[in-house]
Amino acid sequence: MKTILVTGGAGFIGSNYIRLVLQQHSDVQVLNLDALTYAGNLENLSAVERAPRYTFLKADICDAAALDAITASVDEIVHFAAESHVDRSIEDAATFLRTNVLGTQTLLDFARRRGVARFVHVSTDEVYGSLGPTDPAFSETTPLAPNSPYAASKAGSDLLARAAFHTHSMPVLITRCSNNYGPYQFPEKLIPLMIANAMEGKQLPVYGDGMNVRDWIHVEDHCRAVDLVRRDGRVGEVYNVGGRSERRNIDVVRTILRALGHGEELIRYVKDRLGHDRRYAINDEKIRAELGYATLHNFEDGLAATVAWYQQQRPWWERVRSGDYRGYYERMYGSRLAQP
Ligand code: NAD
Ligand code: TYD
């Protein structure tokens, strides 16, 4: 049985990844290490929380002693833990530097001490900066030019992962993915925020002119890409992951409103985000050609299914919005916390 340490597994993408790995590989056990910041919600993992091959450890990736206290063997690491929201990084960059930069280095050091066989660093396309309307999509060789404190901190961690490969010959692999959407996304990001606000009859704040473009990918497609890279990727390589679904924000918002049977009266154009990147687009030829990657979801069907999920799972996001989700950890684990 192989043990994969997944960091940030209580977040949006990490929780989807843990469910996928446990379902697809019967010879894998998962140790989910998460600090449970505001973005961590163990309820996202209620489907697997009692599974024998799943263990949760509440710990901070910046805490080297907590990492060293892990007694279980760690064969591979998939590193999702991060501060992930651009608007929060504009308000306060410090926690982004601590977790994304220092935390990643602390985790790399731990991985080196343990001699882990694979270290997948989950980076982002935002490290490449912003594109003009006719620029070619980002490829793996596009120079890094991050524009927000979030993107700059992710570029720092991305380069530290690269340096660990070159300096210490560590088996590091890096993925750079575009904007994810799907179940369990925290309702501060564009798509779940707009769905939840529309369902509550609240205004939908569209930044600037609403013409910024993002390349959307379903979270399950991203997770499958990360797992392909973990298993078959070449160490030291970077793999871009995209959805081939460039959409303007205002068009995404209108599609959501239509799916919910609303008109456009809730849309409010608000002051633009500072330094707002205009367009992201991903060239994903490398992962397709080398690893046989292909997406399973197209954007329109995936978005419709996501809207339906937020309708069916209304209590999930209502507990997030009210803050009630914060008590889930104590209710679930109480004093009988698993000690791996
Ligand atoms: P998220 O904010 O939903 O989840 C982050 C998780 O990390 C949370 O569970 C949080 O508790 C945990 N965490 C934060 N700081 C920690 C620390 N110091 N120690 C341990 N755990 C900590 O984020 P997400 O959207 O699931 O993104 C996951 C990863 O994927 C991030 O690295 C992000 O940069 C990257 N990414 C995200 C997207 C996207 O569209 N969401 C796209 C490309 C890449
Ligand atoms: P977001 O989901 O925060 O992802 P990112 O900034 O990492 O791409 O935002 C996606 C796009 O939607 C981005 O162009 C900013 C815009 N946006 C709004 O117009 N209104 C909002 O309330 C939010 C959260 C985002």
Side-chain angles (χ1 to χ4, degrees), residues 262-304:
H262 283 285
E264 297 190 7
E265 55 284 350
L266 292 173
I267 293 177
R268 291 292 178 280
Y269 289 94
V270 299
K271 189 171 165 295
D272 207 357
R273 173 186 280 172
L274 296 176
H276 195 174
D277 283 342
R278 195 63 175 168
R279 172 176 168 242
Y280 303 143
I282 278 277
N283 176 334
D284 62 359
E285 283 301 332
K286 179 176 173 179
I287 190 169
R288 286 177 184 257
E290 255 189 42
L291 305 181
Y293 173 70
T295 51
L296 295 180
H297 296 270
N298 78 54
F299 182 64
E300 277 63 37
D301 294 346
L303 185 57

